[in-house]
């Protein structure tokens, strides 16, 4: 009974190697963020400069700009998530009114 | 153009020295001029694995401190005259390894050899940093085991930020070598698979060295496994890794022990 039980209920995700892989993926995601001085400096710089450019056109809260870098084998993915509030968009529209400088 | 390769891992005991010796011997067998350099000051072992421990007179530190010339410190392998070893010092302090000194020795070695293989000490301290600093190419030796994979990830981060190439804005070519691999345990889900390790570390694979008795036997007699038993599974895997190191695009295989039933019965006593 217990043999059949363990035979049939043993899903792939139960193996110790899968536990090892999942633990490593979670741990390394945190450690890469904390330790890679080079990357976090790059991210901080990007964050500051993107905010600076955005601020010229829309009003945005610093916390609403999220930047993430995922390291991959062939290419890395830079993910930039910007939340623009309604009021910010209106501000953008108003700066776009034509003939102001003429 | 000479190529400097660092064999590194972060964690100790995963097979850096075995790998340095095996790759160096395999490269030299094809007629190229190869030197293997031990960076593990105070805990040198490459001399022992290469079987030249009784021929060490001068070492890397002596050359760095101008107490000996490079010619005096280099030991030529008796099995293959295109292979040389530059041993580390067993008695001196690690601080004797200066970055200027290492730079000078590497420059001199570049002029004389086709391949310079640097056997890094374990850890992330000075010795490990200097071993990787001048590298064009890194071989990251990893066991399919959580602590080894974690330490390899840390070392990959250092290779990308602290080497001379990284600091010049150039990239250092990094390849993964999975050692002590047991395909049957991986298939049963008892060991991280090669795919798991490659997926987590995101590096191209240089090779997979199967767990094998031949590695210990080779170290017992002081010979790189690629010299001691060139037909063995780990040696075949190292020869394939060398082809990839030379830039050939060949599929990665995991050689297995070729032992029939009769072999097992009659050759049980070992060789």
């Amino acid at each position: 009974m217990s043999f059949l039980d363990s035979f049939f209920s043993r899903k792939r995700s139960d193996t110790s190697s899968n536990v090892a892989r999942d633990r490593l993926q979670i741990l390394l995601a945190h450690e890469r963020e904390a330790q890679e001085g080079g990357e976090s400096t790059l991210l901080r710089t990007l964050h500051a400069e993107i905010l600076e450019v955005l601020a010229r056109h829309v009003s945005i809260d610093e916390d609403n700009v999220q930047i993430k870098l995922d390291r991959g084998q062939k290419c890395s993915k830079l993910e930039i998530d910007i939340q623009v509030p309604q009021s910010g968009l209106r501000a953008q529209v108003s700066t776009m009114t034509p003939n102001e400088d003429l | 153009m000479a190529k400097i390769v660092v064999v590194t891992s972060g964690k100790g005991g995963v097979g850096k020295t075995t790998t340095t010796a095996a790759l160096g011997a395999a490269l030299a067998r094809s007629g190229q001029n190869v030197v293997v350099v031990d960076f593990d000051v105070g805990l040198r072992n490459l001399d022992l694995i290469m079987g030249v421990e009784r021929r060490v007179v001068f070492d890397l530190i002596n050359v760095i401190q101008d107490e000996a010339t490079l010619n005096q410190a280099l030991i030529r392998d008796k099995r293959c005259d295109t292979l040389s070893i530059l041993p580390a010092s067993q008695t001196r302090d690690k601080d004797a390894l200066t970055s200027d000194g290492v730079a000078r020795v590497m420059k001199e070695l570049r002029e004389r050899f086709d391949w310079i293989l640097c056997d890094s000490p374990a850890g992330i301290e000075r010795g490990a940093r200097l071993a990787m600093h001048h590298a064009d190419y890194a071989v990251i030796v990893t066991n399919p085991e959580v602590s080894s994979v974690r330490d390899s990830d840390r070392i990959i981060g250092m290779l990308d930020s602290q080497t001379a190439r990284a600091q010049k804005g150039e990239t250092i070519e990094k390849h993964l070598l999975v050692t002590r691999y047991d395909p049957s345990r991986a298939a049963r889900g008892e060991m991280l698979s090669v795919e798991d390790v490659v997926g987590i570390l995101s590096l191209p694979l240089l090779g997979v060295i199967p767990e094998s008795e031949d590695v210990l036997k080779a170290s017992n007699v002081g010979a790189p496994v690629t010299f001691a038993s060139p037909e063995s599974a780990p040696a075949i895997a190292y020869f394939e890794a060398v082809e990839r190191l030379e830039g050939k695009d060949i599929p990665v295989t995991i050689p297995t022990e070729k032992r029939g039933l009769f072999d097992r019965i009659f050759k049980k006593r070992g060789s």
Side-chain angles (χ1 to χ4, degrees):
Chain A
M1 177 65 189
S2 64
F3 167 73
L4 287 181
D5 256 7
S6 64
F7 188 82
F8 286 112
S9 67
R10 195 181 180 89
K11 290 176 219 143
R12 273 195 63 81
S13 58
D14 286 346
T15 63
S16 67
S17 66
N18 281 325
V19 176
R21 188 195 55 210
D22 295 346
R23 287 175 62 215
L24 275 170
Q25 275 167 343
I26 294 165
L27 174 72
L28 294 184
H30 284 283
E31 288 191 346
R32 282 171 187 164
E33 224 167 279
Q35 284 165 0
E36 279 170 20
E39 262 180 30
S40 62
T41 311
L42 170 72
L43 290 186
R44 270 200 298 276
T45 312
L46 277 174
H47 192 262
E49 291 186 7
I50 286 170
L51 268 178
E52 194 187 307
V53 172
L54 284 170
R56 289 183 210 153
H57 305 287
V58 291
S59 63
I60 246 168
D61 188 352
E62 196 177 321
D63 295 335
N64 287 339
V65 178
Q66 301 288 337
I67 303 179
K68 248 179 27 186
L69 187 60
D70 283 332
R71 195 172 62 183
Q73 189 172 319
K74 284 206 174 120
C75 59
S76 297
K77 188 174 76 178
L78 182 66
E79 203 178 300
I80 304 174
D81 180 16
I82 304 166
Q83 286 180 39
V84 186
Q86 275 301 319
S87 54
L89 270 181
R90 250 178 261 124
Q92 181 191 26
V93 171
S94 67
T95 58
M96 296 276 283
T97 47
N99 302 334
E100 214 170 332
D101 292 348
L102 295 176
Chain B
M1 179 66 192
K3 249 192 177 175
I4 300 184
V5 180
V6 62
V7 179
T8 184
S9 70
K11 191 176 182 299
V14 295
K16 285 181 297 295
T17 303
T18 301
T19 295
T20 307
L23 294 179
L27 279 165
R29 215 183 63 157
S30 66
Q32 303 181 82
N33 281 315
V34 180
V35 61
V36 289
V37 186
D38 195 347
F39 272 82
D40 206 344
V41 175
L43 287 171
R44 75 170 177 220
N45 273 319
L46 188 57
D47 56 330
L48 201 53
I49 297 299
M50 297 286 294
V52 300
E53 70 277 11
R54 294 167 57 126
R55 297 170 60 201
V56 178
V57 181
F58 296 110
D59 56 54
L60 175 62
I61 300 297
N62 292 134
V63 179
I64 283 176
Q65 308 221 323
D66 278 325
E67 296 156 348
T69 64
L70 195 53
N71 266 335
Q72 289 175 304
L74 284 169
I75 303 167
R76 183 165 290 187
D77 192 281
K78 284 189 171 158
R79 294 152 296 209
C80 177
D81 63 3
T82 54
L83 179 60
S84 297
I85 161 171
L86 183 55
S89 170
Q90 184 70 337
T91 50
R92 303 286 276 272
D93 194 330
K94 277 183 303 206
D95 295 336
L97 208 58
T98 61
S99 62
D100 287 351
V102 171
R104 186 168 55 79
V105 172
M106 286 294 139
K107 185 167 175 282
E108 221 173 310
L109 290 174
R110 260 190 205 277
E111 288 160 13
R112 301 177 45 169
F113 292 94
D114 302 314
W115 293 89
I116 299 142
L117 270 59
C118 303
D119 183 20
S120 171
I124 52 171
E125 307 302 319
R126 183 189 190 82
R129 281 204 301 269
L130 284 173
M132 70 168 69
H133 190 76
H134 299 276
D136 306 302
Y137 195 107
V139 175
I140 295 107
V141 182
T142 307
N143 287 172
E145 178 267 323
V146 285
S147 55
S148 175
V149 175
R150 179 200 216 171
D151 291 358
S152 291
D153 192 72
R154 184 78 193 272
I155 284 291
I156 293 165
M158 284 176 64
L159 286 163
D160 286 335
S161 59
Q162 299 190 13
T163 52
R165 273 177 171 264
Q167 285 162 1
K168 278 188 282 179
E170 298 169 0
T171 53
I172 170 164
E173 216 177 315
K174 302 181 294 292
H175 280 244
L176 193 64
L177 187 80
V178 178
T179 54
R180 309 201 68 165
Y181 191 65
D182 185 337
S184 61
R185 296 198 76 186
R188 289 199 298 272
E190 294 173 13
M191 179 183 269
L192 284 166
S193 68
V194 171
E195 293 76 21
D196 286 339
V197 178
V198 169
I200 291 165
L201 295 176
S202 302
L203 284 186
L205 200 55
L206 185 71
V208 180
I209 313 300
E211 170 81 72
S212 166
E213 295 171 2
D214 293 304
V215 172
L216 181 59
K217 274 196 222 161
S219 76
N220 286 342
V221 299
V225 71
T226 40
F227 278 169
S229 38
E231 307 293 325
S232 67
I236 292 168
Y238 276 121
F239 280 119
E240 285 184 9
V242 156
E243 292 197 55
R244 281 180 216 104
L245 200 60
E246 291 176 304
K248 289 187 196 127
D249 188 15
I250 53 170
V252 177
T253 60
I254 306 170
T256 47
E257 309 277 311
K258 291 186 202 79
R259 285 222 178 112
L261 183 64
F262 285 103
D263 281 351
R264 284 186 201 194
I265 294 166
F266 294 110
K267 291 189 181 167
K268 194 84 183 179
R269 304 272 157 96
S271 44

mmCIF file of all heavy atoms in Angstrom, chain B residues 228-256:
data_model
loop_
_atom_site.group_PDB
_atom_site.id
_atom_site.type_symbol
_atom_site.label_atom_id
_atom_site.label_comp_id
_atom_site.label_asym_id
_atom_site.label_seq_id
_atom_site.Cartn_x
_atom_site.Cartn_y
_atom_site.Cartn_z
ATOM 1 N N ALA B 228 46.659 9.808 -17.180
ATOM 2 C CA ALA B 228 46.658 8.536 -16.461
ATOM 3 C C ALA B 228 45.724 7.513 -17.104
ATOM 4 O O ALA B 228 46.086 6.362 -17.268
ATOM 5 C CB ALA B 228 46.268 8.759 -15.002
ATOM 6 N N SER B 229 44.507 7.925 -17.441
ATOM 7 C CA SER B 229 43.580 6.991 -18.093
ATOM 8 C C SER B 229 42.763 7.723 -19.153
ATOM 9 O O SER B 229 41.599 8.062 -18.924
ATOM 10 C CB SER B 229 42.681 6.304 -17.075
ATOM 11 O OG SER B 229 42.307 7.188 -16.046
ATOM 12 N N PRO B 230 43.417 7.973 -20.309
ATOM 13 C CA PRO B 230 42.781 8.789 -21.355
ATOM 14 C C PRO B 230 41.503 8.185 -21.934
ATOM 15 O O PRO B 230 40.728 8.899 -22.563
ATOM 16 C CB PRO B 230 43.870 8.902 -22.431
ATOM 17 C CG PRO B 230 44.875 7.859 -22.114
ATOM 18 C CD PRO B 230 44.789 7.588 -20.658
ATOM 19 N N GLU B 231 41.296 6.886 -21.700
ATOM 20 C CA GLU B 231 40.086 6.252 -22.228
ATOM 21 C C GLU B 231 38.923 6.314 -21.231
ATOM 22 O O GLU B 231 37.807 5.907 -21.557
ATOM 23 C CB GLU B 231 40.355 4.773 -22.564
ATOM 24 C CG GLU B 231 41.556 4.533 -23.467
ATOM 25 C CD GLU B 231 41.320 5.094 -24.863
ATOM 26 O OE1 GLU B 231 40.162 5.039 -25.324
ATOM 27 O OE2 GLU B 231 42.281 5.600 -25.477
ATOM 28 N N SER B 232 39.191 6.797 -20.017
ATOM 29 C CA SER B 232 38.143 6.794 -18.987
ATOM 30 C C SER B 232 37.090 7.861 -19.273
ATOM 31 O O SER B 232 37.335 8.819 -20.009
ATOM 32 C CB SER B 232 38.763 7.042 -17.617
ATOM 33 O OG SER B 232 39.285 8.357 -17.557
ATOM 34 N N ALA B 233 35.911 7.690 -18.648
ATOM 35 C CA ALA B 233 34.811 8.630 -18.877
ATOM 36 C C ALA B 233 35.184 10.075 -18.525
ATOM 37 O O ALA B 233 34.948 10.980 -19.333
ATOM 38 C CB ALA B 233 33.576 8.179 -18.102
ATOM 39 N N PRO B 234 35.784 10.334 -17.344
ATOM 40 C CA PRO B 234 36.127 11.731 -17.050
ATOM 41 C C PRO B 234 37.149 12.296 -18.039
ATOM 42 O O PRO B 234 37.054 13.470 -18.428
ATOM 43 C CB PRO B 234 36.700 11.676 -15.629
ATOM 44 C CG PRO B 234 37.022 10.251 -15.376
ATOM 45 C CD PRO B 234 36.076 9.450 -16.201
ATOM 46 N N ALA B 235 38.116 11.481 -18.458
ATOM 47 C CA ALA B 235 39.127 11.968 -19.404
ATOM 48 C C ALA B 235 38.474 12.337 -20.740
ATOM 49 O O ALA B 235 38.777 13.392 -21.320
ATOM 50 C CB ALA B 235 40.217 10.923 -19.610
ATOM 51 N N ILE B 236 37.572 11.478 -21.215
ATOM 52 C CA ILE B 236 36.878 11.778 -22.475
ATOM 53 C C ILE B 236 36.120 13.097 -22.348
ATOM 54 O O ILE B 236 36.159 13.948 -23.244
ATOM 55 C CB ILE B 236 35.925 10.617 -22.848
ATOM 56 C CG1 ILE B 236 36.746 9.375 -23.213
ATOM 57 C CG2 ILE B 236 35.003 11.003 -24.003
ATOM 58 C CD1 ILE B 236 35.942 8.097 -23.321
ATOM 59 N N ALA B 237 35.463 13.285 -21.186
ATOM 60 C CA ALA B 237 34.714 14.522 -20.966
ATOM 61 C C ALA B 237 35.660 15.730 -20.953
ATOM 62 O O ALA B 237 35.328 16.798 -21.484
ATOM 63 C CB ALA B 237 33.933 14.435 -19.659
ATOM 64 N N TYR B 238 36.853 15.581 -20.366
ATOM 65 C CA TYR B 238 37.820 16.681 -20.350
ATOM 66 C C TYR B 238 38.358 16.961 -21.757
ATOM 67 O O TYR B 238 38.556 18.114 -22.139
ATOM 68 C CB TYR B 238 38.975 16.375 -19.388
ATOM 69 C CG TYR B 238 38.674 16.726 -17.949
ATOM 70 C CD1 TYR B 238 38.712 15.768 -16.947
ATOM 71 C CD2 TYR B 238 38.360 18.038 -17.588
ATOM 72 C CE1 TYR B 238 38.440 16.086 -15.617
ATOM 73 C CE2 TYR B 238 38.084 18.375 -16.267
ATOM 74 C CZ TYR B 238 38.121 17.392 -15.287
ATOM 75 O OH TYR B 238 37.851 17.722 -13.992
ATOM 76 N N PHE B 239 38.601 15.910 -22.544
ATOM 77 C CA PHE B 239 39.076 16.126 -23.921
ATOM 78 C C PHE B 239 38.018 16.897 -24.735
ATOM 79 O O PHE B 239 38.357 17.788 -25.505
ATOM 80 C CB PHE B 239 39.394 14.790 -24.611
ATOM 81 C CG PHE B 239 40.736 14.219 -24.222
ATOM 82 C CD1 PHE B 239 40.838 12.982 -23.605
ATOM 83 C CD2 PHE B 239 41.901 14.940 -24.473
ATOM 84 C CE1 PHE B 239 42.077 12.460 -23.241
ATOM 85 C CE2 PHE B 239 43.152 14.430 -24.118
ATOM 86 C CZ PHE B 239 43.235 13.183 -23.491
ATOM 87 N N GLU B 240 36.742 16.551 -24.502
ATOM 88 C CA GLU B 240 35.674 17.285 -25.206
ATOM 89 C C GLU B 240 35.610 18.733 -24.741
ATOM 90 O O GLU B 240 35.402 19.651 -25.541
ATOM 91 C CB GLU B 240 34.319 16.601 -24.969
ATOM 92 C CG GLU B 240 34.165 15.322 -25.769
ATOM 93 C CD GLU B 240 32.779 14.696 -25.613
ATOM 94 O OE1 GLU B 240 31.881 15.344 -25.028
ATOM 95 O OE2 GLU B 240 32.606 13.558 -26.080
ATOM 96 N N ALA B 241 35.802 18.937 -23.438
ATOM 97 C CA ALA B 241 35.779 20.303 -22.895
ATOM 98 C C ALA B 241 36.878 21.145 -23.536
ATOM 99 O O ALA B 241 36.670 22.320 -23.859
ATOM 100 C CB ALA B 241 35.938 20.262 -21.376
ATOM 101 N N VAL B 242 38.046 20.524 -23.739
ATOM 102 C CA VAL B 242 39.171 21.241 -24.352
ATOM 103 C C VAL B 242 38.831 21.664 -25.784
ATOM 104 O O VAL B 242 39.168 22.759 -26.227
ATOM 105 C CB VAL B 242 40.446 20.366 -24.302
ATOM 106 C CG1 VAL B 242 41.427 20.749 -25.374
ATOM 107 C CG2 VAL B 242 41.091 20.494 -22.936
ATOM 108 N N GLU B 243 38.129 20.794 -26.505
ATOM 109 C CA GLU B 243 37.733 21.163 -27.867
ATOM 110 C C GLU B 243 36.825 22.391 -27.854
ATOM 111 O O GLU B 243 36.953 23.279 -28.697
ATOM 112 C CB GLU B 243 37.038 19.991 -28.558
ATOM 113 C CG GLU B 243 37.983 18.845 -28.838
ATOM 114 C CD GLU B 243 37.418 17.888 -29.870
ATOM 115 O OE1 GLU B 243 37.072 18.343 -30.971
ATOM 116 O OE2 GLU B 243 37.287 16.686 -29.546
ATOM 117 N N ARG B 244 35.914 22.427 -26.854
ATOM 118 C CA ARG B 244 35.034 23.602 -26.758
ATOM 119 C C ARG B 244 35.827 24.838 -26.329
ATOM 120 O O ARG B 244 35.567 25.942 -26.792
ATOM 121 C CB ARG B 244 33.893 23.341 -25.771
ATOM 122 C CG ARG B 244 32.820 22.503 -26.395
ATOM 123 C CD ARG B 244 31.667 22.229 -25.458
ATOM 124 N NE ARG B 244 31.232 20.871 -25.749
ATOM 125 C CZ ARG B 244 31.497 19.820 -25.003
ATOM 126 N NH1 ARG B 244 32.163 19.955 -23.878
ATOM 127 N NH2 ARG B 244 31.108 18.638 -25.380
ATOM 128 N N LEU B 245 36.819 24.630 -25.460
ATOM 129 C CA LEU B 245 37.687 25.728 -25.030
ATOM 130 C C LEU B 245 38.412 26.332 -26.238
ATOM 131 O O LEU B 245 38.636 27.528 -26.324
ATOM 132 C CB LEU B 245 38.706 25.183 -24.025
ATOM 133 C CG LEU B 245 39.427 26.130 -23.081
ATOM 134 C CD1 LEU B 245 38.442 26.863 -22.200
ATOM 135 C CD2 LEU B 245 40.402 25.356 -22.208
ATOM 136 N N GLU B 246 38.747 25.482 -27.204
ATOM 137 C CA GLU B 246 39.433 25.944 -28.411
ATOM 138 C C GLU B 246 38.457 26.541 -29.426
ATOM 139 O O GLU B 246 38.874 26.934 -30.507
ATOM 140 C CB GLU B 246 40.194 24.780 -29.053
ATOM 141 C CG GLU B 246 41.383 24.325 -28.239
ATOM 142 C CD GLU B 246 42.066 23.101 -28.839
ATOM 143 O OE1 GLU B 246 41.372 22.080 -29.031
ATOM 144 O OE2 GLU B 246 43.264 23.183 -29.113
ATOM 145 N N GLY B 247 37.186 26.566 -29.062
ATOM 146 C CA GLY B 247 36.212 27.240 -29.907
ATOM 147 C C GLY B 247 35.399 26.342 -30.808
ATOM 148 O O GLY B 247 34.610 26.835 -31.622
ATOM 149 N N LYS B 248 35.595 25.012 -30.696
ATOM 150 C CA LYS B 248 34.804 24.131 -31.542
ATOM 151 C C LYS B 248 33.404 23.977 -30.962
ATOM 152 O O LYS B 248 33.230 23.881 -29.753
ATOM 153 C CB LYS B 248 35.468 22.752 -31.648
ATOM 154 C CG LYS B 248 36.719 22.796 -32.480
ATOM 155 C CD LYS B 248 37.274 21.409 -32.727
ATOM 156 C CE LYS B 248 38.721 21.528 -33.209
ATOM 157 N NZ LYS B 248 39.652 20.732 -32.421
ATOM 158 N N ASP B 249 32.422 23.952 -31.856
ATOM 159 C CA ASP B 249 31.037 23.862 -31.413
ATOM 160 C C ASP B 249 30.589 22.408 -31.505
ATOM 161 O O ASP B 249 30.091 21.971 -32.538
ATOM 162 C CB ASP B 249 30.175 24.770 -32.299
ATOM 163 C CG ASP B 249 28.750 24.859 -31.762
ATOM 164 O OD1 ASP B 249 28.527 24.474 -30.596
ATOM 165 O OD2 ASP B 249 27.865 25.292 -32.518
ATOM 166 N N ILE B 250 30.814 21.655 -30.451
ATOM 167 C CA ILE B 250 30.387 20.253 -30.461
ATOM 168 C C ILE B 250 29.383 20.032 -29.335
ATOM 169 O O ILE B 250 29.459 20.675 -28.294
ATOM 170 C CB ILE B 250 31.588 19.280 -30.322
ATOM 171 C CG1 ILE B 250 32.430 19.633 -29.089
ATOM 172 C CG2 ILE B 250 32.470 19.295 -31.557
ATOM 173 C CD1 ILE B 250 33.472 18.575 -28.775
ATOM 174 N N PRO B 251 28.411 19.147 -29.554
ATOM 175 C CA PRO B 251 27.383 18.951 -28.532
ATOM 176 C C PRO B 251 27.977 18.351 -27.253
ATOM 177 O O PRO B 251 28.925 17.569 -27.302
ATOM 178 C CB PRO B 251 26.399 17.977 -29.193
ATOM 179 C CG PRO B 251 27.178 17.318 -30.283
ATOM 180 C CD PRO B 251 28.194 18.302 -30.746
ATOM 181 N N VAL B 252 27.416 18.758 -26.119
ATOM 182 C CA VAL B 252 27.900 18.256 -24.829
ATOM 183 C C VAL B 252 27.338 16.856 -24.579
ATOM 184 O O VAL B 252 26.133 16.642 -24.638
ATOM 185 C CB VAL B 252 27.467 19.195 -23.682
ATOM 186 C CG1 VAL B 252 27.899 18.631 -22.338
ATOM 187 C CG2 VAL B 252 28.049 20.584 -23.883
ATOM 188 N N THR B 253 28.239 15.917 -24.334
ATOM 189 C CA THR B 253 27.776 14.585 -23.966
ATOM 190 C C THR B 253 28.231 14.291 -22.541
ATOM 191 O O THR B 253 29.124 14.956 -22.023
ATOM 192 C CB THR B 253 28.378 13.510 -24.890
ATOM 193 O OG1 THR B 253 29.803 13.548 -24.773
ATOM 194 C CG2 THR B 253 27.991 13.740 -26.348
ATOM 195 N N ILE B 254 27.600 13.320 -21.913
ATOM 196 C CA ILE B 254 28.052 12.894 -20.594
ATOM 197 C C ILE B 254 28.574 11.472 -20.745
ATOM 198 O O ILE B 254 27.804 10.523 -20.776
ATOM 199 C CB ILE B 254 26.909 12.944 -19.567
ATOM 200 C CG1 ILE B 254 26.285 14.347 -19.557
ATOM 201 C CG2 ILE B 254 27.423 12.580 -18.176
ATOM 202 C CD1 ILE B 254 25.007 14.433 -18.765
ATOM 203 N N PRO B 255 29.903 11.316 -20.912
ATOM 204 C CA PRO B 255 30.459 9.969 -21.075
ATOM 205 C C PRO B 255 30.152 9.136 -19.834
ATOM 206 O O PRO B 255 30.163 9.641 -18.720
ATOM 207 C CB PRO B 255 31.965 10.214 -21.199
ATOM 208 C CG PRO B 255 32.111 11.659 -21.494
ATOM 209 C CD PRO B 255 30.941 12.348 -20.871
ATOM 210 N N THR B 256 29.845 7.860 -20.051
ATOM 211 C CA THR B 256 29.581 6.991 -18.904
ATOM 212 C C THR B 256 30.633 5.890 -18.873
ATOM 213 O O THR B 256 31.310 5.621 -19.861
ATOM 214 C CB THR B 256 28.187 6.352 -19.006
ATOM 215 O OG1 THR B 256 28.027 5.844 -20.325
ATOM 216 C CG2 THR B 256 27.108 7.375 -18.733
#
